[in-house]
Amino acid sequence: MATHRPDLGNASGGSEMRNTNKYEKSPKTTNMVIVILLLTIPLSGCVGDTENDRELVIVTYDVYALTDEVIEEFENETGISVTILKLNDAGSILDYLIQHQGREDVDLAIGMDNNFLGTAIEFDLLAESDVNQVGIRSDALGPYSGPLATPFDMGYVCLNYDTDQVDGENLTVPTSLWNLTEEEWRGKVALPSPVTSSPGRAFMLATLDYFDWEDGNDEFSNWWTAMKNNDVIITSGWSEAYETHYTGGYGEWTEGYIGDAHITVSYCHSPGVESWYNENWTKSASLDLPKTSFLQVEYAAAVNGGNIETASEFINYLISPDVNSLMPTENLMYSVLEGQDLPEENGYLLNSVIPQQPSQISMNEISENIELWLEEWNSAMTSGE
Amino acid sequence: MLDCEALTKAFDKTLFKNLDIHLGPGEILAVLGPSGCGKSTLLRCICGLESLDSGTIRLNEIDITNFEAEDRGIGLIFQRPVLYPHLSVSGNLSLASKSGHEEALEEVGLSGFEGRAVENLSGGEGQRVALARALLAEPNVLLLDEPFSALDSDLSVRLLKDVRQLLKKRKCPAILVTHNQQEAEMFSDRILEMSD
Amino acid sequence: MRRLASAFAVMLYSMLILIPIGLATQRLILVTGPNPYDWTKSLSENYISQNVLEFTLVQAVSSTLLTIIISLPIAWSLGRHRWPFESLIRTVLTLPFVIPSIIAAMGILTIVGPYGLDIRTNENTWWWTLIISHAWFNMALIIRFCEPLLSKLDPALEEQLRLLPHGRTRASRLKNLWVPLLLPSVVAAACMTFVFSFTSFALVRWITVRDNTLESVMAEVSSSAGIQGYMEPTSDIVMGASLIQFTILLTSLWLTSVIQRDRKAILPQARPEHVRKPNSRGWLVIVPALIFAVLPLISVVIGSFRIRDLGESGGGFRWGTDGWNQAYHGSFSFAPMSEAILNSLGYATITILVALPLGYALATTINDLEKRSPNLARLLDVFTMLPFALSAAMVGLGVLLGIIKLDVSSAYQFWALPSLAHIMLTTPFVVRIMLPAIRSLDNSYDENARVLGMGEFSRFVKIKIPLLKGSIIISSIFVIAMSLGEFGASFIVAKNSDWTTLPLLIDAWRAKPMKDPLSAPASNAVATVLMLITMGLFMFAERFRNNRDGGMF
């Protein structure tokens, strides 16, 4: 249901893991606040900004890496006061920036990925920042290496399957995407929609490369139509596919669980995350077929018209080793820094896969063609039986 | 005292035209006519709840034709008692005056009714409370719109007698409209007949 | 003075409704082009919306039928028998209708989920669950519309019929008396049920899997709608869905009002004590009905204390208040409950401060106009009902696309904005509740006060307000409860922002990662708080309800 719900990393992070609480107040203060608020409600819409010399307004979504400690430390170190505007998901950040273009009310956007970055650049929403990108690994800079955005975490989107069900007896491990259009997989594949979900879009992009999309080659459309005819489950967001339908992950512990799909889209390191949470046990595995995975990089970017100086300071802070090394455990994504890998603890690293041959579609191609591709995907999915 | 000249009012048909009414101090007038002839409308025009098509009304030599009803100082007793259900008898009287409730109730023969809830009053009692309230407001003129027509005729006659006595005692001029010849004769000093 | 107030009220209301909707529409049309055919065509051409209209219609019709089948026997036994604790029974049966649907969704989900009956496992079962949930939600409508007629109809009518050739059998009395008498009420209530099922959002979102009503599909695509050159099909979907929804709702509401006007025929009435028979088998209907009514609500409370235990076996439960604790303190992703309560109360306060005076002024204006120019009065009457045909999602989109995205100041700084949506949604209800009360207010009360020399203000304070006290309190409570429980519009407005309210927090706890065993109990805990507030408000309102003449409220 949540649109653009991006990744197992951010999505599965149980809050029991973190004791930080950006909202905590003492009960007494709360009571006082209640009284004051009730008295001033009609006025409270007019309360202006706090008077502070150096300010930073960040628009982001529920990026778990931005904990209270992380923000507070930054504020203490720099004297900049940070305001965080937390939106629903990664796609909303782009929507927000487009809608508020020229408003000069936001300085920094954190959490857009390479699916959206091209559009953001095309719309001239971003500003060059003054960031030292030395130390960022080259694959993180693969999709984009310019001055308009800086990667802060990454991961490969790929198919995950339930090894209990896909065991060679009930179901055989697919060796081609076409296997999924066969009868044994009828109704057992759950994919997030590329229209509303960012991992869903990443997977669709992977299939474009897999089927060598170009004018006159219908393989891409044919496969998606065949999937539709094989009762593929299309969900609006990642979490619905992974939690509600997929049998291989933690979804079975959730209330809305249906459990009718044995393969779904998540990250190549999602099984690692499952294992890390479940004390070195998982039944989920990544499917490492050539050109079915897609590198997703999340960016921090200074916003055109905002305060580039404070934005740059925060970006530098975000890619500093101290903060960025927290990504695997705090944000459940890879760090973008050279020499920082997933922790070995509880099989996190062991169960995570770096795909042999990820799909190659450049960011420019994406922003140029995405509307066309979504349209083609849509007509493939709506064409008659 | 009250001088109405050339009063004219029409809805779908003409109700009255160029009607003159003069009322001296303490005088009681009865307007007699069949139902639907416009008697009630005449009273509503005089007290200002309805506007005239033409004509002037002067009270104590002051032209009140364009005054709002609440500014005219003319009282009206409706056909059925209009008592406010959210208020007690005393609360209803308070709408006219904060004091003098005891005497006012005594005058209309309802001593001790102050605390009563209005829904427990009979029709006759209700109308007497309305009368007490109207008198408490010390109107220059009191208008009565068939005030006891809903009651049986014995009671109606008795109440009219009481009211006449009361009005005379207070020297309060009044206009009664009725369709009952006997009531009109008994209650008033002078009768004005209206026809269809 | 009075006319000035009327003119001001009409103007303010028009601005509140027309400006957001107008701006939003203008913005969308810039993207979609002006051709309504293209908009509606997009519904069938886009994968996300292709079966939505069919699903919406079929489920709404099915829900309506099931609601009638379930509720008529309840209305009959409630109306025709004597009941101890009658007002308590009536209140309990009305609860489902007044409880915010997001709470119902949580309760029903807990019942049918894998740790309850575990029946929500395939398309068939969740479809039926949805239909039954809609029947649960709407049964109060049928009961409230039909029960007064059943309990007050002069028994002489039926007794007389028994002695006539065409009334000797139960079936013939049903045919010749009860069906013709009840039909208008049933049809009117059915129309309302259809409208509520058609625009169902929270229940569809939570009970079904990947099914959408027109309402929920609009919410789904709302964030990217209205942008030129970017995800343009979403704008088409919004326009197409709005157009169809608006047309269907308007038709249903028009039908309801026509039927209701016709049913004003005055029937000979008797006091319920004379109509009602001693109760023998009525319990067989009422007891299951009462259980049906409270079950989802109780399960919300139970669910708030039941915590999944990730012990050795993995599937067990333990009982505790950790969920409450979690909800109270919040977490990294979720605001603490106090913040949501404060926001919700704040929005409700603003809503009532505007909606109540505005609704009252509009109702008075309509009442005044009815004497002077009936046509103008009818026009205004219909105009004030128009927002009923604007669903919550459409209002939310209006505020989002019409105001937030055009706003000169940053949207997230304008804390009060969600209450604009609430004002748009609640003002019509105030008018609907106040208008009959103002109409039935005997004009001689006002006239008599005038001849006693009371001025306009004094009459307003000492006469009008006290006489209308019941309706004022009921509509106030209604506005507060609606604002506190409002989900659809807030969901869309809040999607692009930082705001939270109690219903949004309930949704957020449930929608976000469920690896955390405390998120479901925390969601239920917030739902329990909202439910208790709502129930308290309505119990309070019940004391001021002096007539049970079949209104919905």
Side-chain angles (χ1 to χ4, degrees):
Chain A
M1 304 261 168
T3 54
H4 308 287
R5 198 91 263 299
D7 54 82
L8 176 60
N10 298 324
S12 74
S15 30
E16 80 268 40
M17 301 303 297
R18 301 176 180 79
N19 300 319
T20 55
N21 181 350
K22 72 179 253 204
Y23 293 105
E24 204 159 4
K25 291 180 195 117
S26 76
K28 218 173 204 167
T29 334
T30 312
N31 287 340
M32 265 176 57
V33 170
I34 291 178
V35 173
I36 293 168
L37 248 180
L38 283 177
L39 291 174
T40 57
I41 274 160
L43 303 171
S44 42
C46 322
V47 176
D49 295 347
T50 45
E51 300 292 321
N52 223 321
D53 285 333
R54 302 225 300 155
E55 280 184 78
L56 176 64
V57 180
I58 302 176
V59 59
T60 181
Y61 68 102
D62 206 0
V63 174
Y64 285 127
L66 302 176
T67 59
D68 272 7
E69 283 100 341
V70 168
I71 301 291
E72 254 169 52
E73 205 184 308
F74 176 75
E75 287 183 320
N76 292 340
E77 269 177 25
T78 59
I80 296 170
S81 93
V82 176
T83 308
I84 292 191
L85 168 57
K86 207 193 265 180
L87 302 181
N88 212 38
D89 47 49
S92 301
I93 299 176
L94 177 59
D95 295 348
Y96 187 92
L97 293 181
I98 294 178
Q99 308 281 10
H100 290 245
Q101 193 164 11
R103 208 66 71 67
E104 305 191 355
D105 55 2
V106 172
D107 308 310
L108 176 60
I110 298 180
M112 268 191 292
D113 64 24
N114 44 326
N115 278 325
F116 298 104
L117 187 65
T119 313
I121 292 172
E122 200 178 281
F123 273 77
D124 198 22
L125 301 169
L126 307 179
E128 289 188 17
S129 54
D130 177 21
V131 173
N132 180 4
Q133 296 192 346
V134 175
I136 295 183
R137 44 199 280 190
S138 57
D139 48 357
L141 292 169
Y144 178 77
S145 55
L148 291 170
T150 306
F152 71 91
D153 73 11
M154 57 181 264
Y156 287 92
V157 170
C158 72
L159 292 168
N160 285 198
Y161 65 95
D162 178 0
T163 55
D164 274 6
Q165 297 290 329
V166 190
D167 54 0
E169 284 173 34
N170 295 313
L171 288 164
T172 44
V173 181
T175 53
S176 149
L177 287 185
W178 284 107
N179 290 148
L180 297 176
T181 65
E182 287 160 13
E183 191 55 34
E184 67 167 346
W185 282 100
R186 180 169 292 277
K188 290 175 182 161
V189 182
L191 305 174
S193 160
V195 179
T196 45
S197 151
S198 157
R201 188 172 290 191
F203 179 70
M204 183 197 77
L205 293 171
T207 61
L208 283 162
D209 193 28
Y210 184 88
F211 294 111
D212 297 320
W213 181 89
E214 57 182 306
D215 273 345
N217 181 356
D218 294 339
E219 287 268 284
F220 166 79
S221 296
N222 290 344
W223 183 78
W224 280 101
T225 305
M227 286 304 286
K228 184 214 167 194
N229 292 338
N230 208 27
D231 299 338
V232 63
I233 300 161
I234 300 288
T235 65
S236 65
W238 168 87
S239 56
E240 203 189 318
Y242 197 87
E243 293 173 353
T244 307
H245 295 283
Y246 182 51
T247 53
Y250 67 84
E252 55 185 314
W253 306 121
T254 70
E255 200 108 22
Y257 180 67
I258 304 272
D260 49 2
H262 305 311
I263 196 163
T264 190
V265 167
S266 196
Y267 287 90
C268 296
H269 65 276
S270 296
V273 174
E274 288 277 351
S275 170
W276 186 60
Y277 270 118
N278 293 323
E279 293 165 8
N280 207 2
W281 174 87
T282 176
K283 57 177 172 177
S284 192
S286 303
L287 184 67
D288 187 15
L289 292 178
K291 299 208 285 186
T292 61
S293 54
F294 191 84
L295 176 63
Q296 189 190 28
V297 180
E298 288 195 285
Y299 297 93
V303 177
N304 223 346
N307 186 335
I308 292 168
E309 192 194 318
T310 53
S312 303
E313 276 185 63
F314 195 89
I315 298 173
N316 276 323
Y317 175 71
L318 193 61
I319 57 169
S320 67
D322 280 354
V323 176
N324 210 264
S325 62
L326 297 173
M327 289 300 157
T329 51
E330 288 296 321
N331 214 33
L332 307 176
M333 293 289 273
Y334 284 91
S335 161
V336 293
L337 297 182
E338 214 54 83
Q340 292 281 353
D341 209 340
L342 302 176
E344 285 178 33
E345 189 195 353
N346 278 332
Y348 196 155
L349 181 62
L350 189 72
N351 288 288
S352 300
V353 170
I354 297 282
Q356 309 279 332
Q357 194 190 340
S359 295
Q360 297 292 336
I361 293 186
S362 78
M363 219 182 61
N364 286 342
E365 279 180 276
I366 297 175
S367 58
E368 231 164 78
N369 294 313
I370 187 69
E371 300 272 326
L372 172 71
W373 289 334
L374 287 174
E375 225 168 88
E376 267 196 37
W377 178 85
N378 189 54
S379 40
M381 295 303 288
T382 49
S383 67
E385 295 279 298
Chain B
M1 168 93 234
L2 179 72
D3 302 292
C4 307
E5 272 155 27
L7 303 185
T8 301
K9 177 80 180 171
F11 279 127
D12 296 330
K13 58 165 195 170
T14 305
L15 292 173
F16 42 86
K17 198 173 177 188
N18 292 327
L19 182 68
D20 295 345
I21 296 175
H22 297 281
L23 203 62
E27 190 183 12
I28 299 180
L29 173 75
V31 177
L32 183 65
S35 3
C37 76
K39 317 184 291 284
S40 295
T41 309
L42 174 65
L43 290 193
R44 293 170 62 82
C45 286
I46 294 175
C47 73
L49 292 174
E50 210 84 64
S51 60
L52 287 163
D53 294 344
S54 65
T56 55
I57 304 171
R58 281 199 306 276
L59 185 65
N60 297 328
E61 309 304 321
I62 299 166
D63 187 344
I64 59 164
T65 317
N66 294 318
F67 280 32
E68 290 291 335
E70 51 266 39
D71 301 327
R72 291 192 184 193
I74 295 179
L76 174 68
I77 304 286
F78 290 70
Q79 276 188 5
R80 281 174 301 107
V82 178
L83 297 175
Y84 298 99
H86 62 287
L87 299 171
S88 64
V89 167
S90 191
N92 268 278
L93 296 181
S94 295
L95 296 176
S97 163
K98 296 280 174 225
S99 58
H101 296 181
E102 208 177 310
E103 299 77 16
L105 285 173
E106 200 185 324
E107 273 186 330
V108 297
L110 293 178
S111 292
F113 270 55
E114 284 92 338
R116 292 274 192 107
V118 294
E119 65 249 38
N120 298 331
L121 300 177
S122 71
E125 288 165 349
Q127 203 58 303
R128 280 189 277 171
V129 172
L131 180 70
R133 186 178 58 190
L135 290 174
L136 267 176
E138 298 190 344
N140 296 310
V141 179
L142 184 65
L143 310 178
L144 302 107
D145 186 1
E146 308 211 41
F148 305 118
S149 59
L151 308 177
D152 69 64
S153 59
D154 282 356
L155 185 58
S156 171
V157 167
R158 219 175 64 223
L159 286 171
L160 278 173
K161 273 184 183 157
D162 291 352
V163 174
R164 180 181 160 83
Q165 246 177 7
L166 199 55
L167 291 171
K168 283 293 173 195
K169 194 176 98 191
R170 293 174 149 248
K171 300 194 172 57
C172 177
I175 302 175
L176 169 80
V177 306
T178 178
H179 61 273
N180 184 322
Q181 175 92 32
Q182 187 204 345
E183 270 185 21
E185 283 168 3
M186 179 203 73
F187 186 74
S188 67
D189 305 332
R190 184 155 64 83
I191 294 177
L192 177 79
E193 287 203 44
M194 271 175 86
S195 54
D196 269 324
Chain C
M1 168 70 199
R2 205 181 156 114
R3 289 204 180 178
L4 207 70
S6 287
F8 179 72
V10 173
M11 213 173 70
L12 180 65
Y13 178 74
S14 315
M15 275 164 51
L16 284 177
I17 302 294
L18 296 180
I19 288 183
I21 298 290
L23 287 176
T25 311
Q26 183 206 16
R27 204 185 155 91
L28 285 164
I29 286 179
L30 275 181
V31 181
T32 62
N35 187 349
Y37 176 72
D38 289 344
W39 311 337
T40 47
K41 211 173 61 177
S42 70
L43 284 181
S44 53
E45 280 177 354
N46 278 289
Y47 181 72
I48 190 173
S49 58
Q50 69 176 342
N51 298 315
V52 166
L53 179 59
E54 184 195 339
F55 173 81
T56 310
L57 271 174
V58 171
Q59 65 83 14
V61 171
S62 314
S63 302
T64 307
L65 290 176
L66 187 70
T67 308
I68 295 172
I69 292 169
I70 289 181
S71 318
L72 270 183
I74 302 173
W76 181 275
S77 30
L78 195 63
R80 304 296 288 178
H81 295 123
R82 290 187 200 122
W83 293 101
F85 315 113
E86 190 199 325
S87 74
L88 183 68
I89 293 177
R90 197 188 305 271
T91 308
V92 170
L93 290 177
T94 315
L95 275 182
F97 188 67
V98 299
I99 291 294
S101 55
I102 182 80
I103 297 175
M106 294 303 119
I108 291 163
L109 204 59
T110 306
I111 294 175
V112 300
Y115 305 112
L117 301 172
D118 194 16
I119 51 171
R120 183 177 165 273
T121 49
N122 63 55
E123 203 151 351
N124 240 330
T125 51
W126 71 64
W127 197 82
W128 278 106
T129 307
L130 179 73
I131 302 303
I132 294 169
S133 308
H134 283 158
W136 177 84
F137 181 76
N138 288 309
M139 67 178 174
L141 275 176
I142 310 263
I143 297 174
R144 288 255 174 192
F145 270 67
C146 299
E147 189 264 344
L149 200 148
L150 287 164
S151 66
K152 285 194 212 146
L153 189 76
D154 190 342
L157 283 181
E158 193 178 15
E159 286 159 8
Q160 174 72 75
L161 191 61
R162 285 180 168 205
L163 306 175
L164 294 171
H166 285 288
R168 293 213 180 101
T169 65
R170 211 174 260 257
S172 65
R173 289 199 298 278
L174 207 61
K175 176 175 158 241
N176 291 317
L177 180 69
W178 291 114
V179 170
L181 278 184
L182 283 174
L183 201 61
S185 301
V186 173
V187 175
C191 281
M192 297 303 292
T193 304
F194 176 82
V195 167
F196 285 119
S197 307
F198 194 88
T199 54
S200 179
F201 178 41
L203 287 168
V204 171
R205 173 170 157 80
W206 281 107
I207 288 169
T208 71
V209 178
R210 74 184 182 272
D211 282 324
N212 270 318
T213 51
L214 289 172
E215 185 85 346
S216 61
V217 89
M218 278 192 263
E220 191 116 293
V221 301
S222 60
S223 71
S224 57
I227 306 174
Q228 275 175 299
Y230 174 70
M231 308 274 290
E232 292 199 346
T234 55
S235 297
D236 281 305
I237 292 173
V238 166
M239 284 306 282
S242 306
L243 183 70
I244 292 174
Q245 178 135 315
F246 187 71
T247 313
I248 289 181
L249 294 191
L250 208 59
T251 313
S252 318
L253 290 166
W254 172 78
L255 204 63
T256 316
S257 81
V258 167
I259 294 162
Q260 277 191 301
R261 207 173 306 149
D262 288 350
R263 89 186 176 120
K264 272 187 189 148
I266 292 162
L267 297 163
Q269 295 203 333
R271 300 174 73 84
E273 301 89 88
H274 300 301
V275 180
R276 292 175 165 174
K277 299 188 186 107
N279 160 30
S280 50
R281 279 170 301 177
W283 286 111
L284 293 177
V285 177
I286 294 298
V287 169
L290 290 174
I291 294 173
F292 181 57
V294 297
L295 209 57
L297 306 180
I298 291 174
S299 89
V300 169
V301 182
I302 293 176
S304 73
F305 294 105
R306 192 181 64 166
I307 299 149
R308 194 181 74 237
D309 199 346
L310 289 170
E312 292 291 300
S313 58
F317 286 105
R318 64 187 172 84
W319 300 91
T321 53
D322 306 26
W324 282 84
N325 208 17
Q326 177 87 311
Y328 179 79
H329 290 292
S331 75
F332 174 72
S333 307
F334 306 119
M337 190 152 37
S338 55
E339 186 182 318
I341 292 177
L342 278 177
N343 276 336
S344 281
L345 287 178
Y347 295 141
T349 309
I350 295 175
T351 306
I352 190 139
L353 285 178
V354 180
L356 190 67
L358 185 59
Y360 174 83
L362 288 169
T364 309
T365 308
I366 294 172
N367 187 52
D368 287 351
L369 281 176
E370 268 165 356
K371 282 162 240 155
R372 279 188 282 130
S373 75
N375 283 330
L376 205 59
R378 201 161 311 138
L379 193 73
L380 187 58
D381 197 7
V382 171
F383 182 48
T384 57
M385 277 198 276
L386 220 53
F388 284 129
L390 296 174
S391 62
M394 288 156 80
V395 166
L397 279 162
V399 174
L400 176 73
L401 297 176
I403 306 294
I404 293 184
K405 294 189 174 179
L406 291 177
D407 184 26
V408 280
S409 70
S410 290
Y412 69 93
Q413 288 172 349
F414 193 35
W415 172 84
L417 209 53
S419 38
L420 174 59
H422 296 181
I423 291 167
M424 290 167 77
L425 287 167
T426 54
T427 307
F429 283 92
V430 178
V431 177
R432 273 9 288 162
I433 297 170
M434 295 302 306
L435 189 55
I438 291 175
R439 271 191 193 133
S440 68
L441 203 60
D442 193 337
N443 201 30
S444 56
Y445 283 137
D446 190 56
E447 291 181 339
N448 198 40
R450 289 180 70 187
V451 296
L452 285 172
M454 294 168 71
E456 185 150 355
F457 181 72
S458 163
R459 294 202 302 277
F460 178 71
V461 173
K462 288 188 186 156
I463 308 292
K464 278 245 167 98
I465 289 188
L467 285 173
L468 293 170
K469 191 174 81 179
S471 306
I472 291 174
I473 290 175
I474 287 177
S475 53
S476 305
I477 285 172
F478 205 84
V479 168
I480 294 173
M482 258 185 99
S483 169
L484 289 178
E486 205 287 322
F487 179 61
S490 310
F491 179 81
I492 290 177
V493 172
K495 207 171 173 176
N496 258 9
S497 73
D498 227 7
W499 296 302
T500 194
T501 64
L502 285 169
L504 290 174
L505 190 60
I506 296 169
D507 181 78
W509 272 114
R510 203 67 165 228
K512 293 272 170 98
M514 304 284 281
K515 180 82 179 162
D516 180 359
L518 293 181
S519 52
S523 166
N524 278 323
V526 184
T528 304
V529 169
L530 180 56
M531 182 172 84
L532 292 177
I533 296 175
T534 314
M535 275 161 65
L537 284 170
F538 277 97
M539 303 257 174
F540 183 67
E542 200 66 21
R543 294 171 48 192
F544 293 92
R545 198 190 300 283
N546 42 15
N547 56 340
R548 303 198 186 97
D549 52 3
M552 338 175 356
F553 320 114

